[in-house]
Short mmCIF file of all heavy atoms in Angstrom, two decimals:
data_model
loop_
_atom_site.label_atom_id
_atom_site.label_comp_id
_atom_site.label_asym_id
_atom_site.label_seq_id
_atom_site.Cartn_x
_atom_site.Cartn_y
_atom_site.Cartn_z
N ALA A 1 -2.07 -7.34 -13.74
CA ALA A 1 -2.84 -8.58 -13.63
C ALA A 1 -2.36 -9.64 -14.62
O ALA A 1 -1.91 -9.31 -15.73
CB ALA A 1 -4.32 -8.29 -13.87
N ASP A 2 -2.46 -10.90 -14.22
CA ASP A 2 -2.20 -11.99 -15.16
C ASP A 2 -3.50 -12.64 -15.63
O ASP A 2 -3.48 -13.61 -16.38
CB ASP A 2 -1.27 -13.05 -14.55
CG ASP A 2 -1.85 -13.72 -13.31
OD1 ASP A 2 -3.05 -13.54 -13.02
OD2 ASP A 2 -1.09 -14.43 -12.62
N ARG A 3 -4.63 -12.09 -15.16
CA ARG A 3 -5.97 -12.52 -15.56
C ARG A 3 -6.23 -14.00 -15.25
O ARG A 3 -6.97 -14.68 -15.95
CB ARG A 3 -6.22 -12.21 -17.05
CG ARG A 3 -6.12 -10.72 -17.34
CD ARG A 3 -6.30 -10.38 -18.82
NE ARG A 3 -6.11 -8.95 -19.03
CZ ARG A 3 -7.09 -8.04 -19.00
NH1 ARG A 3 -8.33 -8.43 -18.78
NH2 ARG A 3 -6.82 -6.76 -19.19
N LYS A 4 -5.65 -14.46 -14.15
CA LYS A 4 -5.87 -15.83 -13.69
C LYS A 4 -6.61 -15.80 -12.36
O LYS A 4 -6.12 -16.27 -11.34
CB LYS A 4 -4.54 -16.58 -13.56
CG LYS A 4 -3.81 -16.77 -14.89
CD LYS A 4 -2.49 -17.51 -14.70
CE LYS A 4 -1.76 -17.69 -16.01
NZ LYS A 4 -0.44 -18.37 -15.83
N TRP A 5 -7.79 -15.21 -12.39
CA TRP A 5 -8.58 -15.07 -11.17
C TRP A 5 -9.22 -16.38 -10.77
O TRP A 5 -9.89 -17.03 -11.57
CB TRP A 5 -9.67 -14.02 -11.37
CG TRP A 5 -10.66 -13.92 -10.25
CD1 TRP A 5 -11.90 -14.49 -10.20
CD2 TRP A 5 -10.49 -13.22 -9.01
NE1 TRP A 5 -12.52 -14.18 -9.01
CE2 TRP A 5 -11.68 -13.41 -8.26
CE3 TRP A 5 -9.47 -12.45 -8.47
CZ2 TRP A 5 -11.85 -12.85 -7.00
CZ3 TRP A 5 -9.64 -11.89 -7.22
CH2 TRP A 5 -10.83 -12.09 -6.50
N SER A 6 -9.02 -16.77 -9.53
CA SER A 6 -9.75 -17.92 -8.98
C SER A 6 -10.06 -17.65 -7.51
O SER A 6 -9.99 -18.54 -6.67
CB SER A 6 -8.95 -19.22 -9.13
OG SER A 6 -7.66 -19.10 -8.57
N GLY A 7 -10.40 -16.41 -7.21
CA GLY A 7 -10.71 -16.02 -5.85
C GLY A 7 -9.49 -15.50 -5.10
O GLY A 7 -8.39 -15.44 -5.64
N PHE A 8 -9.71 -15.11 -3.85
CA PHE A 8 -8.60 -14.60 -3.03
C PHE A 8 -7.53 -15.68 -2.89
O PHE A 8 -7.83 -16.80 -2.46
CB PHE A 8 -9.10 -14.20 -1.65
CG PHE A 8 -9.87 -12.89 -1.61
CD1 PHE A 8 -10.54 -12.53 -0.46
CD2 PHE A 8 -9.91 -12.03 -2.69
CE1 PHE A 8 -11.24 -11.34 -0.40
CE2 PHE A 8 -10.61 -10.84 -2.65
CZ PHE A 8 -11.28 -10.49 -1.49
N PRO A 9 -6.29 -15.35 -3.21
CA PRO A 9 -5.24 -16.38 -3.20
C PRO A 9 -4.74 -16.69 -1.80
O PRO A 9 -5.03 -15.97 -0.82
CB PRO A 9 -4.13 -15.72 -4.01
CG PRO A 9 -4.29 -14.25 -3.73
CD PRO A 9 -5.78 -14.04 -3.65
N GLU A 10 -3.98 -17.77 -1.70
CA GLU A 10 -3.30 -18.11 -0.46
C GLU A 10 -2.48 -16.92 0.01
O GLU A 10 -1.82 -16.25 -0.79
CB GLU A 10 -2.39 -19.32 -0.70
CG GLU A 10 -1.67 -19.82 0.54
CD GLU A 10 -0.82 -21.02 0.24
OE1 GLU A 10 -0.88 -21.53 -0.89
OE2 GLU A 10 -0.08 -21.46 1.15
N GLY A 11 -2.53 -16.64 1.29
CA GLY A 11 -1.81 -15.49 1.83
C GLY A 11 -2.66 -14.27 2.05
O GLY A 11 -2.22 -13.29 2.64
N THR A 12 -3.92 -14.31 1.57
CA THR A 12 -4.84 -13.21 1.84
C THR A 12 -5.19 -13.21 3.33
O THR A 12 -5.44 -14.26 3.93
CB THR A 12 -6.13 -13.37 1.02
OG1 THR A 12 -5.80 -13.33 -0.37
CG2 THR A 12 -7.13 -12.26 1.33
N ILE A 13 -5.22 -12.02 3.94
CA ILE A 13 -5.57 -11.89 5.35
C ILE A 13 -6.54 -10.72 5.53
O ILE A 13 -6.76 -9.95 4.60
CB ILE A 13 -4.31 -11.65 6.23
CG1 ILE A 13 -3.61 -10.35 5.83
CG2 ILE A 13 -3.36 -12.83 6.15
CD1 ILE A 13 -2.50 -9.93 6.77
N VAL A 14 -7.10 -10.61 6.72
CA VAL A 14 -7.80 -9.38 7.09
C VAL A 14 -6.70 -8.40 7.53
O VAL A 14 -6.14 -8.52 8.62
CB VAL A 14 -8.82 -9.61 8.22
CG1 VAL A 14 -9.37 -8.28 8.72
CG2 VAL A 14 -9.96 -10.50 7.73
N GLY A 15 -6.39 -7.47 6.66
CA GLY A 15 -5.29 -6.55 6.92
C GLY A 15 -5.62 -5.54 7.99
O GLY A 15 -4.76 -5.16 8.81
N HIS A 16 -6.86 -5.07 8.00
CA HIS A 16 -7.30 -4.16 9.07
C HIS A 16 -8.82 -4.16 9.15
O HIS A 16 -9.51 -4.66 8.26
CB HIS A 16 -6.74 -2.74 8.87
CG HIS A 16 -7.19 -2.03 7.62
ND1 HIS A 16 -6.48 -2.07 6.44
CD2 HIS A 16 -8.28 -1.25 7.37
CE1 HIS A 16 -7.09 -1.34 5.53
NE2 HIS A 16 -8.19 -0.83 6.06
N VAL A 17 -9.30 -3.59 10.23
CA VAL A 17 -10.73 -3.43 10.47
C VAL A 17 -10.97 -1.96 10.79
O VAL A 17 -10.30 -1.40 11.66
CB VAL A 17 -11.21 -4.31 11.64
CG1 VAL A 17 -12.70 -4.13 11.87
CG2 VAL A 17 -10.89 -5.78 11.39
N HIS A 18 -11.89 -1.35 10.07
CA HIS A 18 -12.19 0.08 10.27
C HIS A 18 -13.56 0.18 10.93
O HIS A 18 -14.54 -0.38 10.45
CB HIS A 18 -12.18 0.80 8.92
CG HIS A 18 -12.11 2.30 9.05
ND1 HIS A 18 -11.46 3.08 8.13
CD2 HIS A 18 -12.61 3.15 9.97
CE1 HIS A 18 -11.57 4.36 8.48
NE2 HIS A 18 -12.27 4.42 9.61
N LEU A 19 -13.61 0.90 12.06
CA LEU A 19 -14.79 0.93 12.92
C LEU A 19 -15.47 2.29 12.94
O LEU A 19 -14.81 3.33 12.84
CB LEU A 19 -14.37 0.56 14.36
CG LEU A 19 -13.66 -0.77 14.54
CD1 LEU A 19 -13.09 -0.87 15.95
CD2 LEU A 19 -14.59 -1.95 14.24
N LYS A 20 -16.79 2.26 13.10
CA LYS A 20 -17.57 3.46 13.41
C LYS A 20 -17.65 3.55 14.92
O LYS A 20 -18.15 2.63 15.58
CB LYS A 20 -18.97 3.35 12.81
CG LYS A 20 -18.99 3.22 11.29
CD LYS A 20 -20.41 3.08 10.75
CE LYS A 20 -21.03 1.75 11.13
NZ LYS A 20 -22.33 1.51 10.46
N VAL A 21 -17.17 4.65 15.50
CA VAL A 21 -17.11 4.76 16.95
C VAL A 21 -17.91 5.97 17.43
O VAL A 21 -18.30 6.84 16.65
CB VAL A 21 -15.64 4.84 17.44
CG1 VAL A 21 -14.86 3.62 16.97
CG2 VAL A 21 -14.97 6.14 17.00
N ALA A 22 -18.10 6.02 18.75
CA ALA A 22 -18.88 7.09 19.35
C ALA A 22 -18.01 8.21 19.90
O ALA A 22 -18.42 9.38 19.91
CB ALA A 22 -19.75 6.53 20.49
N ASP A 23 -16.80 7.86 20.36
CA ASP A 23 -15.93 8.83 21.03
C ASP A 23 -14.48 8.52 20.67
O ASP A 23 -13.96 7.47 21.06
CB ASP A 23 -16.16 8.77 22.54
CG ASP A 23 -15.42 9.84 23.30
OD1 ASP A 23 -14.19 9.92 23.18
OD2 ASP A 23 -16.07 10.60 24.04
N LEU A 24 -13.82 9.42 19.96
CA LEU A 24 -12.45 9.16 19.51
C LEU A 24 -11.45 9.17 20.66
O LEU A 24 -10.49 8.39 20.66
CB LEU A 24 -12.04 10.19 18.46
CG LEU A 24 -12.52 9.94 17.03
CD1 LEU A 24 -12.11 11.10 16.13
CD2 LEU A 24 -11.97 8.63 16.47
N ASP A 25 -11.64 10.05 21.63
CA ASP A 25 -10.69 10.11 22.74
C ASP A 25 -10.72 8.83 23.57
O ASP A 25 -9.67 8.28 23.93
CB ASP A 25 -10.98 11.32 23.62
CG ASP A 25 -10.66 12.63 22.93
OD1 ASP A 25 -9.81 12.63 22.01
OD2 ASP A 25 -11.28 13.66 23.27
N LYS A 26 -11.92 8.34 23.88
CA LYS A 26 -12.03 7.07 24.61
C LYS A 26 -11.50 5.91 23.78
O LYS A 26 -10.90 4.97 24.32
CB LYS A 26 -13.48 6.83 25.02
CG LYS A 26 -14.00 7.77 26.08
CD LYS A 26 -15.45 7.48 26.43
CE LYS A 26 -15.97 8.44 27.50
NZ LYS A 26 -17.40 8.19 27.82
N THR A 27 -11.73 5.97 22.47
CA THR A 27 -11.22 4.93 21.57
C THR A 27 -9.70 4.92 21.58
O THR A 27 -9.07 3.86 21.66
CB THR A 27 -11.75 5.16 20.15
OG1 THR A 27 -13.18 5.06 20.16
CG2 THR A 27 -11.19 4.13 19.18
N GLN A 28 -9.09 6.11 21.51
CA GLN A 28 -7.63 6.20 21.56
C GLN A 28 -7.07 5.65 22.86
O GLN A 28 -6.10 4.88 22.86
CB GLN A 28 -7.19 7.65 21.38
CG GLN A 28 -5.67 7.84 21.50
CD GLN A 28 -5.25 9.26 21.25
OE1 GLN A 28 -5.64 9.88 20.27
NE2 GLN A 28 -4.44 9.80 22.14
N GLU A 29 -7.68 6.02 23.97
CA GLU A 29 -7.21 5.53 25.26
C GLU A 29 -7.30 4.01 25.34
O GLU A 29 -6.37 3.34 25.83
CB GLU A 29 -8.03 6.16 26.39
CG GLU A 29 -7.59 5.71 27.78
CD GLU A 29 -8.45 6.30 28.89
OE1 GLU A 29 -9.48 6.94 28.58
OE2 GLU A 29 -8.09 6.11 30.07
#
């Protein structure tokens, strides 16, 4: 760290979304 925090910097993205699902096989398909 450089300890220069001013929030999420330029270039921050939603890298992934993790979901709670009901059926893994249907989700995979």
Side-chain angles (χ1 to χ4, degrees):
D2 62 11
R3 299 178 184 269
K4 295 180 181 178
W5 172 261
S6 54
F8 285 170
E10 183 179 354
T12 299
I13 61 171
V14 172
H16 63 267
V17 180
H18 195 147
L19 304 170
K20 299 178 291 188
V21 303
D23 186 303
L24 279 176
D25 290 335
K26 291 180 180 178
T27 298
Q28 177 177 311
E29 181 182 8

